[in-house]
Amino acid sequence: MEPIEVGLERDGKEHVLRVEPGRWPGELGYQHATVIVTHRERNVLRAAAMGWQQTTRLIEQVLLTVKGLVTRRVSSKNIGGPILLVQATYTMFDQGWGLYLHILGLISVNLAILNLLPIPILDGGRSPAHRGEAAGKPLPERVIGYLQVAGLVLILCLVVLAFRNDITRLFQQ
């Protein structure tokens, strides 16, 4: 896609930015507002179909974000831990039960996707070992142990990063 020019005013001065569509907002130094639109469906089948569509869209967004983190197109500062989860959940609870349940569903989908990633200590990391067993070539126990330790170290690094980001956000408020 062709870059587009976006005009803005900052400190009383007009500026023009060239923006490449498809890039992540955090890389460009701007932030967009989030608008939450709710739709109540009275028909149970249509409500289930709508829920499935929203969940599918959410899964796609989570996978794109994970890909962006790996390719470094998304900043690791976007990773949040338990403090951010509690803050977001509390904020949504104040907005009403519908949004509260929505954020709980969002957290559940996020955790499910992350659990299925091919990281050895998680459930998704077991599938290569199972495929090897099915093919008649199981991985040696020693290799599985090393892979699980590596996976654990990766998860612990992610937890430390999430807590660091949460604490940094607390002090920036």
Side-chain angles (χ1 to χ4, degrees):
M1 294 183 121
E2 296 282 324
I4 57 175
E5 292 186 352
V6 177
L8 62 101
E9 184 179 324
R10 183 181 292 157
D11 299 327
K13 298 178 185 171
E14 291 186 15
H15 301 276
V16 177
L17 296 176
R18 289 179 53 86
V19 178
E20 292 179 36
R23 302 256 333 234
W24 295 93
E27 292 181 1
L28 299 173
Y30 73 92
Q31 197 171 24
H32 62 279
T34 301
V35 178
I36 298 173
V37 178
T38 57
H39 177 80
R40 294 175 195 250
E41 183 58 62
R42 304 263 183 237
N43 181 300
V44 175
L45 293 176
R46 281 189 278 204
M50 201 168 71
W52 178 258
Q53 288 173 341
Q54 288 180 354
T55 303
T56 303
R57 247 183 271 127
L58 179 60
I59 290 169
E60 290 171 358
Q61 289 175 348
V62 171
L63 291 173
L64 281 173
T65 302
V66 169
K67 179 182 176 185
L69 286 166
V70 170
T71 60
R72 304 191 84 179
R73 292 188 68 181
V74 173
S75 172
S76 62
K77 292 179 183 176
N78 291 318
I79 295 174
I83 297 170
L84 181 64
L85 287 176
V86 169
Q87 289 174 332
T89 305
Y90 183 75
T91 300
M92 291 300 157
F93 185 75
D94 282 347
Q95 303 290 323
W97 279 100
L99 292 177
Y100 176 68
L101 293 174
H102 180 78
I103 192 79
L104 291 181
L106 187 132
I107 292 168
S108 295
V109 169
N110 267 290
L111 290 174
I113 299 279
L114 293 176
N115 189 42
L116 293 175
L117 290 176
I119 298 173
I121 200 163
L122 301 177
D123 289 339
R126 294 185 170 291
S127 55
H130 291 305
R131 277 189 240 130
E133 287 178 23
K137 297 180 181 179
L139 289 174
E141 291 293 323
R142 180 178 227 145
V143 172
I144 292 173
Y146 286 135
L147 289 173
Q148 287 181 337
V149 169
L152 179 62
V153 168
L154 180 65
I155 295 296
L156 289 175
C157 288
L158 191 61
V159 168
V160 169
L161 175 66
F163 268 110
R164 186 196 69 135
N165 288 347
D166 282 354
I167 292 168
T168 301
R169 278 188 207 99
L170 280 176
F171 286 111
Q172 288 176 348
Q173 293 178 350

